[in-house]
Amino acid sequence: MSLDRRQFLGLGAAAAGVALAPGLHLIDLVQARSPEDKVNALTRWGLLIDTVKCADCEACVTACHEENGVTGHNRPATDAQWIRKVGLRDKRTGHVQTLPLMCQHCESPPCVDVCPTGASFKRADGIVLVDKHICIGCRYCMMACPYKARSFIHEAVTDQKPDVPRGKGTVESCTLCVHRVDRGQIPACVEACTKDGGQAMVFGDLNDRDSEIHKRLRSEPSSQIRPDLALNTGVRYQGL
Amino acid sequence: MSEMKRRVFVLCAMLAVAGGSLFAPVHAADPKPVGRVPSPTVKIEKGEKCVEPTDVIRRDHMKFILHQRDETMHRGIRTTKHSLKNCIDCHADPKTNSVLGKDGFCESCHRYAAVSMDCFECHSPAPRKQTGGANTSAAHAPGSAP
């Protein structure tokens, strides 16, 4: 999506946003959509992560896995992982940088391209999801994802969160906390980073010119991971 | 069961149904299997009435839920009426905190009708904690007999 098109859409979204809910705090409640309205492409949810502020902590990871009931069996090779901290070390200077990596919510997601059943899909508002009702567990999407963002559930699951059903034989990944976003909350990782971490993450509508994320993206430098793949990720980074 | 006993039982059952509101707190309609005929445990724990008329929900609940599933999953529609989470919030047994189990609302009837489904391999059979708060207390003696 070119910036022009995004700006154009942004105008529409901003107008709708104002009409719906004047004066709402941008970070907490980005746009009020009532439960009976379907999601639409006026909104495109995204994240901006400032790696300079990203502290040496795991607050986002812990919060994500707590919120979504993602538990493991102490088997790192196969345990599900919706978000992980990645460390980058400059070989010459030894300078270490960390960043959280999760599903990048691509505009052109390779996982969706390869899915044989249509289980991998992108919602109109840009959130890339697995419809586990249709997923057959073939794991093509896991191979296609350049970010290694998806996990397969190898074993039966119990004690799921009512908001986050999970079960054996299906693939899953970061949902941008779709169940929270749909009720006007921000993703758990962002909330935790703001409260207990380095205040490095911002969540918002990439199309909304009045949102903090849009303002920052248009006034400050930012980058995508693997921009060469031209996936137009919804998750952007600063300070890389 | 002797013939006499049986007659008395049937009479009592009829009385119980007729005087529904009188017998309400003891859940008079909780059917004990008569003879060797099994029957599902349909215990209503919470709420005045269902989200649809009882005969409609009994027959068509799967249609509502499956429709809702696709609406929520793909279109982000989060109405509560036909939401599976909502069914569970009302129908979970406060003692077991679940709609499953031998006498669990969903499972006992599905066992009875030989319906097998995989929904609860992923979906939690427990009610949500946020909503209503006191979901787990057994203090919800419904005022109306089923």
Side-chain angles (χ1 to χ4, degrees), chain A:
Chain A
M1 200 189 282
S2 76
L3 197 62
D4 288 340
R5 181 169 144 77
R6 213 200 285 154
Q7 280 166 344
F8 169 75
L9 288 175
L11 286 176
V18 169
L20 274 173
L24 283 178
H25 198 279
L26 285 174
I27 299 182
D28 297 331
L29 256 178
V30 185
Q31 227 175 74
R33 180 172 58 84
S34 62
E36 59 271 12
D37 289 341
K38 62 178 184 341
V39 289
N40 60 58
L42 291 176
T43 305
R44 181 169 180 215
W45 297 120
L47 286 175
L48 178 60
I49 299 165
D50 186 344
T51 60
V52 178
K53 288 193 194 152
C54 178
D56 190 16
C57 75
E58 299 257 330
C60 54
V61 178
T62 313
C64 167
H65 289 169
E66 165 63 28
E67 172 71 26
N68 293 296
V70 178
T71 49
H73 304 269
N74 263 324
R75 287 173 218 140
T78 49
D79 282 349
Q81 200 176 41
W82 288 26
I83 176 174
R84 63 187 193 274
K85 283 294 290 285
V86 173
L88 305 173
R89 203 171 71 92
D90 188 315
K91 283 206 185 103
R92 202 158 304 157
T93 62
H95 177 250
V96 178
Q97 222 176 20
T98 65
L99 57 93
L101 190 70
M102 72 295 276
C103 169
Q104 303 284 296
H105 299 280
C106 309
E107 191 193 9
S108 325
C111 54
V112 174
D113 286 344
V114 299
C115 179
T117 66
S120 267
F121 72 104
K122 187 177 61 147
R123 236 168 59 147
D125 58 3
I127 303 183
V128 176
L129 295 170
V130 179
D131 183 341
K132 297 183 190 174
H133 306 102
I134 312 177
C135 176
I136 55 169
C138 73
R139 290 165 262 179
Y140 282 179
C141 58
M142 291 174 65
M143 288 182 253
C145 176
Y147 306 102
K148 273 195 168 184
R150 287 198 162 173
S151 306
F152 179 73
I153 310 184
H154 291 264
E155 284 156 272
V157 186
T158 52
D159 288 331
Q160 296 90 331
K161 304 273 172 186
D163 279 330
V164 190
R166 306 176 61 234
K168 182 176 162 180
T170 55
V171 171
E172 61 182 13
S173 56
C174 156
T175 65
L176 269 184
C177 281
V178 64
H179 58 288
R180 291 168 59 101
V181 170
D182 279 351
R183 53 177 187 244
Q185 293 175 301
I186 59 173
C189 56
V190 182
E191 191 177 272
C193 184
T194 307
K195 210 165 118 265
D196 308 318
Q199 291 87 45
M201 303 174 88
V202 179
F203 170 79
D205 180 0
L206 300 174
N207 288 341
D208 177 2
R209 281 188 69 80
D210 293 329
S211 67
E212 185 187 347
I213 196 167
H214 192 291
K215 283 182 190 153
R216 295 246 317 256
L217 282 172
R218 70 171 184 263
S219 60
E220 299 166 19
S222 67
S223 54
Q224 306 176 36
I225 298 183
R226 294 294 307 270
D228 54 312
L229 298 172
L231 301 173
N232 188 8
T233 58
V235 180
R236 303 297 174 94
Y237 291 86
Q238 291 186 309
L240 278 183

